[in-house]
């Protein structure tokens, strides 16, 4: 269950594998030139949010994206291991297309050495809740991956079919009396 506190989410900037539609998983692919520019633009959005805590995945594409925001607001980055992208095992590096990825998400296919989609969702929500617990009532920015975004959507009861674009900042607001479900808003 997702701890009911508001927070911000930033998906890492673009990598060459994002650009060429390859599944990165936990392979540590760095930001490309476009990704660095996206991280810099996102940092300008983050600067205006009043963030007091930044937690990030240890993978370089997320950590480097977080570094730009951390520099913009003068905060350290706290690495949360369970914010890593999904482990796709032998299918990391595979081109998107066909049914393999949808089958993995449906639980009907698990590549050799991969984590199950259900196991991934559980691991990641633990990482998100760890970050929320670390932040307490302070405004939090989580910098991570597209798969982490799906896990948050899933545990917030929202459609996990939508994606956050590279370098996009999202605001998550928990349910309240006048809005009974989680709300997500794109910023910037």
């Amino acid at each position: 269950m997702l701890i009911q506190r508001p927070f911000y989410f930033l998906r890492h900037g673009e990598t060459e594998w994002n650009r060429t539609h390859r599944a990165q998983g936990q392979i540590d692919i760095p930001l490309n030139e476009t990704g660095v520019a996206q991280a810099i633009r996102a940092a300008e959005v983050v600067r205006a949010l009043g963030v007091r805590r930044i937690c990030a995945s240890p993978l370089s594409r997320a950590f480097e994206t977080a570094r730009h925001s951390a520099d913009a607001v003068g905060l350290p980055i706290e690495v949360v291991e369970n914010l890593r992208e999904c482990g796709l095992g032998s299918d990391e590096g595979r081109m998107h297309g066909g049914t393999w990825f949808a089958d993995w998400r449906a639980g009907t296919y698990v590549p050799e050495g991969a984590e199950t989609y259900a196991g991934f969702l559980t691991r990641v929500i633990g990482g998100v809740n760890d970050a929320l617990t670390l932040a307490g009532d302070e405004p939090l920015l989580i910098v991570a991956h597209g798969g982490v975004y799906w896990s948050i959507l899933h545990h917030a009861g929202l459609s996990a079919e939508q994606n956050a674009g590279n370098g996009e900042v999202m605001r998550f607001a928990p349910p309240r009396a006048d809005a009974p479900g989680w709300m997500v808003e794109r910023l910037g």
Side-chain angles (χ1 to χ4, degrees):
M1 179 174 200
L2 180 58
I3 293 174
Q4 295 195 359
R5 289 191 190 127
F7 63 95
Y8 299 99
F9 177 87
L10 168 56
R11 183 178 176 204
H12 65 77
E14 184 185 81
T15 69
E16 280 306 302
W17 283 24
N18 289 132
R19 192 183 63 73
T20 59
H21 307 288
R22 294 176 70 185
Q24 294 171 104
Q26 294 183 358
I27 295 176
D28 204 6
I29 307 298
L31 298 177
N32 62 19
E33 187 177 308
T34 298
V36 171
Q38 290 169 334
I40 291 167
R41 280 193 304 276
E44 291 307 309
V45 174
V46 169
R47 184 188 310 270
L49 299 178
V51 167
R52 300 301 316 141
R53 207 98 188 208
I54 298 175
C55 292
S57 160
L59 295 175
S60 66
R61 58 192 182 264
F63 190 85
E64 180 69 12
T65 301
R67 187 182 61 74
H68 288 282
S69 289
D71 289 349
V73 296
L75 293 172
I77 301 167
E78 298 175 71
V79 171
V80 177
E81 288 292 328
N82 281 333
L83 293 176
R84 282 180 183 272
E85 183 61 284
C86 48
L88 295 173
S90 60
D91 281 357
E92 290 182 353
R94 187 172 179 178
M95 299 297 288
H96 288 282
T99 63
W100 74 270
F101 193 71
D103 291 345
W104 174 74
R105 284 181 71 173
T108 59
Y109 168 70
V110 180
E112 183 179 332
E115 60 189 321
T116 65
Y117 186 63
F120 167 69
L121 293 177
T122 299
R123 170 178 63 78
V124 167
I125 206 60
V128 170
N129 283 339
D130 288 347
L132 287 163
T133 299
L134 281 170
D137 291 331
E138 295 180 318
L140 169 68
L141 173 66
I142 294 174
V143 185
H145 310 274
V148 172
Y149 184 70
W150 303 329
S151 180
I152 294 168
L153 292 174
H154 173 81
H155 289 282
L158 300 168
S159 171
E161 295 304 312
Q162 59 184 311
N163 287 314
N166 292 110
E168 278 195 323
V169 180
M170 315 297 274
R171 179 180 179 276
F172 280 86
R176 358 177 264 262
D178 62 334
W182 278 87
M183 294 177 25
V184 60
E185 173 187 13
R186 293 179 197 279
L187 304 175

